[in-house]
Amino acid sequence: MTDITQSRQVAATPDEVRGLPGHVTVGTNDLDAASVFYDKLLAVFGIGRILVQPNRAIYYGHRTLEFGIIKPFDGRPATVGNGGMIAFEAPSRSKVDEAHATALAAGGSDEGAPGPRGENGTGPYCAYFRDPEGNKLLIFRSGADQA
């Protein structure tokens, strides 16, 4: 049986929970380094650790498991999915900017600076980057900023 312990970090409890998709994971070969990156990135949205499985996985979310970093169960190296991308919705354009800057400062690489997308810039406001292991992420805001 795996030793599962609660993290000492307390997740934020926003008035309206609208954030990450349910229980998406990315593989990692260095759980400690990945946790440093995702602790910083997800803190931009007030999201903290929900569950820690020592030397195996760390899960994040508002009140339940929503996103995780894990070492592959089969013990083989984690690899990046070609064409795969995880999109996180932000409450505002400024949070898109902040998340992108935080990701780059925490060791991520740029895949598309923050800005409007689509014909004539009328689409969603987006920023693309990769985590230190190469997983591609998108932070976006469609429509008006939340109050």
Side-chain angles (χ1 to χ4, degrees):
M1 178 177 246
T2 305
D3 177 29
I4 300 174
T5 59
Q6 287 285 335
S7 170
R8 290 181 208 157
Q9 216 171 344
V10 177
T13 308
D15 294 335
E16 179 182 327
V17 175
R18 177 160 172 99
L20 304 174
H23 199 149
V24 172
T25 63
V26 294
T28 182
N29 293 304
D30 187 339
L31 191 60
D32 292 335
S35 68
V36 169
F37 178 85
Y38 283 103
D39 285 350
K40 290 176 182 177
L41 175 64
L42 297 175
V44 171
F45 303 104
I47 297 170
R49 294 179 180 192
I50 294 291
L51 177 68
V52 175
Q53 295 174 313
N55 302 313
R56 169 79 177 108
I58 299 172
Y59 294 94
Y60 299 84
H62 285 101
R63 294 186 186 117
T64 186
L65 303 180
E66 296 177 276
F67 177 78
I69 51 177
I70 62 170
K71 289 186 172 183
F73 182 75
D74 64 8
R76 295 169 57 188
T79 58
V80 176
N82 187 23
M85 180 176 69
I86 297 170
F88 298 146
E89 185 175 3
S92 66
R93 287 167 179 75
S94 66
K95 285 294 183 186
V96 172
D97 295 342
E98 182 182 351
H100 185 262
T102 298
L104 299 185
S109 60
D110 183 36
E111 286 282 318
R117 300 303 196 266
E119 190 173 321
N120 301 319
T122 58
Y125 190 85
C126 301
Y128 298 85
F129 54 90
R130 291 187 185 270
D131 72 8
E133 293 192 80
N135 295 296
K136 189 171 182 178
L137 296 109
L138 157 66
I139 306 292
F140 73 97
R141 178 68 203 158
S142 293
D145 290 352
Q146 291 178 356

